[in-house]
Amino acid sequence: MMTAIELSRASAKLQRNCRTSPYLTYHEITEGESKYLYGISRRQFKEHLRCVQRLATVNCSGPNLLHITFDDGHVSQYDQAFSALQELSMKATFFVTAGWTGKRPGYMTWEQLAELARCGHEVQSHGWSHTLLTRCSVKELQIELSRSKSDLEDHLGAKVNAISLPGGRWNTRVLEACRESGYEQVFTSDPWMVSEDVMGLQIAGRWMVTRNMNAQRIHFLLEGKGATLYLLRARHFAKETAKLVFGDSAYRSLWRMLANKDKSQEDARIASDSARRPQA
Ligand SMILES: [Zn+2]
């Protein structure tokens, strides 16, 4: 458990860091409104894209400084988000769970990923089975990192050098394994982590976009301005503290309740994850 001194030190560190990540991360893009916290309607997604486009133009920051990313490889990213990106001539990075590709209902196929790559989008790794990397043995880590990388490279014929960490969990052992597996960039779920070089890797945080974020809020987040940021920073810190205090499984139950994630669906996913977990 985190001590009061550690909490106050972490809080002070957080207060000092006022810059925010230029990366936005989406999970599911739905045709209509969604009750799922990480489900964004296509209409809302397009408003976000226009906002990113405006900011890139106004700040002359260019498309390389503001990024749209996706995690998991849900099929709605192909069905709904892909055409919206094409309509606005914008590129994105798709971090996919390689072991789910073409196998798990509701997730993209290799043909769909190949089409994204052909149209100039990047396809990178989100691990092999979405297992939290901090819980993996040395051998499991190797499978999660190397197998996902080589499978994506073999199927898509493009270099994979970036990974987004499942559940945003990491430690120095995970970073070392990422570097040894040939990754150059590692993406976390911490929006307060501005891109930096750590242990020979470039590490960057990202904003996890939720359905209650309108285009104006996205504008504030990317500009690093506004009272909303203080609120979000406090919420993020509370979430991180909850993970440390309650542990991963209790936190996951809490998250499921708060995110309106269907319990039976999630339980099936966890059971399936265990069944598909690579052999140690
Ligand atoms: Zn994920």
Side-chain angles (χ1 to χ4, degrees):
M1 188 178 288
M2 208 177 193
T3 66
I5 293 170
E6 283 168 330
L7 276 173
S8 80
R9 274 188 194 144
S11 174
K13 187 180 169 206
L14 211 63
Q15 293 299 319
R16 281 197 300 274
N17 183 5
C18 289
R19 290 174 63 205
T20 71
S21 166
Y23 294 89
L24 297 176
T25 301
Y26 295 86
H27 288 79
E28 293 183 21
I29 307 297
T30 53
E31 204 176 339
E33 299 299 314
S34 171
K35 285 188 177 167
Y36 175 40
L37 184 62
Y38 296 100
I40 312 292
S41 72
R42 188 176 189 279
R43 181 193 54 77
Q44 196 180 359
F45 178 62
K46 277 192 86 170
E47 284 172 13
H48 291 184
L49 292 183
R50 287 195 195 97
C51 168
V52 169
Q53 241 180 0
R54 269 196 309 276
L55 277 173
T57 313
V58 171
N59 298 340
C60 300
S61 51
N64 292 332
L65 290 180
L66 297 172
H67 283 274
I68 305 293
T69 73
F70 294 88
D71 271 2
D72 298 342
H74 194 264
V75 73
S76 66
Q77 296 167 11
Y78 177 85
D79 290 340
Q80 304 293 335
F82 179 32
S83 58
L85 287 161
Q86 294 302 100
E87 281 166 29
L88 295 170
S89 303
M90 292 176 75
K91 303 295 176 217
T93 303
F94 295 80
F95 291 98
V96 302
T97 308
W100 294 357
T101 305
K103 292 188 184 129
R104 175 170 292 212
Y107 290 84
M108 286 188 274
T109 64
W110 289 113
E111 291 74 24
Q112 290 167 334
L113 290 182
E115 195 180 342
L116 293 177
R118 265 199 309 278
C119 290
H121 300 284
E122 272 192 49
V123 180
Q124 301 281 358
S125 174
H126 191 44
W128 178 257
S129 66
H130 209 278
T131 303
L132 301 183
L133 300 180
T134 44
R135 290 183 179 180
C136 289
S137 67
V138 172
K139 192 163 182 185
E140 285 170 335
L141 257 185
Q142 208 225 339
I143 293 168
E144 289 295 325
L145 299 172
S146 300
R147 189 172 173 190
S148 61
K149 184 178 190 299
S150 60
D151 230 42
L152 286 165
E153 287 177 341
D154 291 349
H155 276 94
L156 304 172
K159 189 172 161 62
V160 169
N161 59 2
I163 182 165
S164 78
L165 305 169
R169 311 292 204 281
W170 61 282
N171 54 27
T172 51
R173 192 172 70 96
V174 168
L175 292 187
E176 270 168 23
C178 286
R179 193 187 53 211
E180 280 163 20
S181 301
Y183 291 100
E184 292 160 20
Q185 280 186 299
V186 173
F187 290 88
T188 72
S189 313
D190 179 352
W192 310 104
M193 183 182 269
V194 181
S195 185
E196 57 180 320
D197 289 330
V198 178
M199 296 166 59
L201 292 163
Q202 193 197 10
I203 304 188
R206 299 174 303 163
W207 286 103
M208 298 291 119
V209 181
T210 57
R211 68 186 163 91
N212 49 14
M213 290 182 180
N214 59 22
Q216 190 186 31
R217 183 177 280 196
I218 294 292
H219 181 106
F220 286 141
L221 301 183
L222 295 177
E223 284 264 277
K225 291 177 188 164
T228 311
L229 276 185
Y230 291 95
L231 196 73
L232 285 168
R233 183 157 56 187
R235 199 173 77 180
H236 174 80
F237 184 53
K239 200 170 106 177
E240 291 307 303
T241 306
K243 276 185 210 166
L244 286 167
V245 172
F246 300 120
D248 271 328
S249 54
Y251 173 76
R252 193 175 190 129
S253 304
L254 186 68
W255 174 85
R256 195 167 52 204
M257 192 179 79
L258 295 174
N260 266 336
K261 187 84 179 167
D262 180 69
K263 188 175 187 304
S264 56
Q265 224 182 32
E266 181 71 359
D267 284 345
R269 193 175 109 171
I270 293 165
S272 172
D273 279 350
S274 313
R276 288 165 197 233
R277 202 183 165 112
Q279 296 300 302

